Amino acid sequence: MPPGTSIRTPNTFCGQIIHSVKWVPVVFLMCIVAWSYYAYVFQLCILTVKTFFEKLIYLIIYHFLLVIFLWTYWLTIFTPPATVPRKFLLPPEEFEKMGRTTDETAQRNILENFARTLHVVNRTLNGAVRFCEKCQVVKPDRAHHCSVCGVCILKMDHHCPWVNNCVSFTNYKFFLLFLGYAFLYCFFIDITSLQYFILFWKDLQGNLENSSKFHILFLFVVAAMFCTSLASLFIYHLILVGKNRTTLEAFRHPVFIIRGPDKNGFNLGTMNNFQEVFGDRTLLWFIPVFTSLGDGLVFPTSTDIEMGSNLLMTSQRSE
């Protein structure tokens, strides 16, 4: 990490207050999960469901989904985002030289000379090397500066307030699994409480005998709301994975040295794109362990794939 940059390390009283406020969405979500546990396990399974076998099946599946959902959520929150290595840090004398001149060509030449030893193919819209003045680093491909974390993040997708962390190279797989398992958690609650929701809803015109009915009615509605939003977000990110784009790249296409802006610049084909995030070991795809390919600095491009295909075709023809 370049000197002078940090991730969520406030050193003033106001900074500590702001740092604490950022955890409010996470605390709120955990309170919802804690209440849903009480409503489902105690009010639904223990007090409402009649047969022992049904209770047992519900509780086993529920706790499995809850554990893996919380496991992926924990990893998404507490996996530190990868920052830019020191080799991308512009030397202080070069940074001062850039500050002393207003000539854009001279500034551009300084960055070009420094970046010659670095593997960077992304550029700004005017073709210049991407540079972060706050971190004083040449930005690696797909890296962006996060104003919340206060540092440049490798393969940054977006900063998510619900996890109080940057979704990026190091935790993108965990984030996707979190969305998927959170959806399954809410969906399971809905399908197993549906019959009781319908039954208790009919009783609204009559006399509600106990508080469990309120909890189950509210549980179904809340789970349905989260289920809908999680499904749409999960599908959206699966589409991005299939096209090998981050959320930022979906709105602003990456710019390359030769061909300029190209929304498919990192598209390697659906399976290769999927493996870049989830890894090439199928058994580990659905387990929350880091298996993403690469180092977060260098990414193969569609041009690399095309060149590889052309070389293969040329060698086959020569044979």
Side-chain angles (χ1 to χ4, degrees), residues 13-255:
F13 177 75
C14 291
Q16 293 287 349
I17 295 297
I18 295 174
H19 173 71
S20 300
V21 169
K22 292 177 183 177
W23 285 101
V24 170
V26 176
V27 174
F28 171 76
L29 188 57
M30 293 310 301
C31 289
I32 294 293
V33 173
W35 165 79
S36 71
Y37 185 88
Y38 166 78
Y40 189 87
V41 173
F42 185 74
Q43 296 290 352
L44 178 65
C45 291
I46 296 178
L47 297 183
T48 305
V49 177
K50 300 301 182 183
T51 65
F52 174 79
F53 181 75
E54 188 178 1
K55 289 182 180 182
L56 182 64
I57 295 299
Y58 284 4
L59 289 173
I60 290 175
I61 298 177
Y62 172 82
H63 282 94
F64 170 77
L65 292 175
L66 175 65
V67 168
I68 198 165
F69 152 55
L70 292 179
W71 185 7
T72 55
Y73 188 48
W74 174 276
L75 290 174
T76 305
I77 294 174
F78 294 105
T79 298
T83 55
V84 180
R86 184 171 292 274
K87 67 179 181 178
F88 287 84
L89 177 66
L90 189 68
E93 59 274 13
E94 296 296 315
F95 183 72
E96 292 177 4
K97 189 185 299 183
M98 284 183 57
R100 288 196 299 266
T101 179
T102 57
D103 186 356
E104 293 185 3
T105 302
Q107 294 176 344
R108 183 167 175 168
N109 289 335
I110 292 173
L111 293 177
E112 289 286 353
N113 290 332
F114 176 72
R116 283 184 303 177
T117 59
L118 306 172
H119 183 92
V120 285
V121 298
N122 284 165
R123 293 292 187 268
T124 63
L125 285 175
N126 62 5
V129 172
R130 300 190 312 137
F131 180 74
C132 178
E133 294 186 356
K134 294 181 179 179
C135 298
Q136 301 177 22
V137 296
V138 169
K139 293 181 181 179
D141 296 338
R142 314 186 81 174
H144 295 276
H145 184 87
C146 176
S147 59
V148 180
C149 294
V151 68
C152 287
I153 305 295
L154 299 185
K155 196 186 178 183
M156 177 179 172
D157 187 89
H158 69 288
H159 188 95
C160 180
W162 293 105
V163 300
N164 192 28
N165 197 4
C166 263
V167 177
S168 57
F169 174 73
T170 53
N171 66 349
Y172 190 47
K173 176 190 174 183
F174 302 147
F175 176 71
L176 289 170
L177 291 179
F178 156 64
L179 293 179
Y181 287 124
F183 165 75
L184 290 178
Y185 173 78
C186 295
F187 182 72
F188 178 76
I189 289 177
D190 270 340
I191 61 173
T192 53
S193 63
L194 176 59
Q195 59 177 317
Y196 302 100
F197 172 81
I198 295 174
L199 178 64
F200 295 158
W201 181 262
K202 293 179 180 178
D203 288 344
L204 283 178
Q205 301 301 322
N207 182 28
L208 291 175
E209 298 177 356
N210 54 62
S211 62
S212 64
K213 294 183 179 181
F214 289 103
H215 283 285
I216 294 171
L217 288 170
F218 195 50
L219 176 68
F220 179 86
V221 173
V222 172
M225 292 172 56
F226 276 98
C227 193
T228 303
S229 59
L230 286 167
S232 59
L233 190 59
F234 184 51
I235 292 172
Y236 173 72
H237 276 278
L238 286 181
I239 294 174
L240 290 181
V241 170
K243 298 179 179 179
N244 205 340
R245 298 175 195 164
T246 64
T247 299
L248 294 176
E249 290 167 351
F251 290 96
R252 181 178 296 178
H253 301 157
V255 181

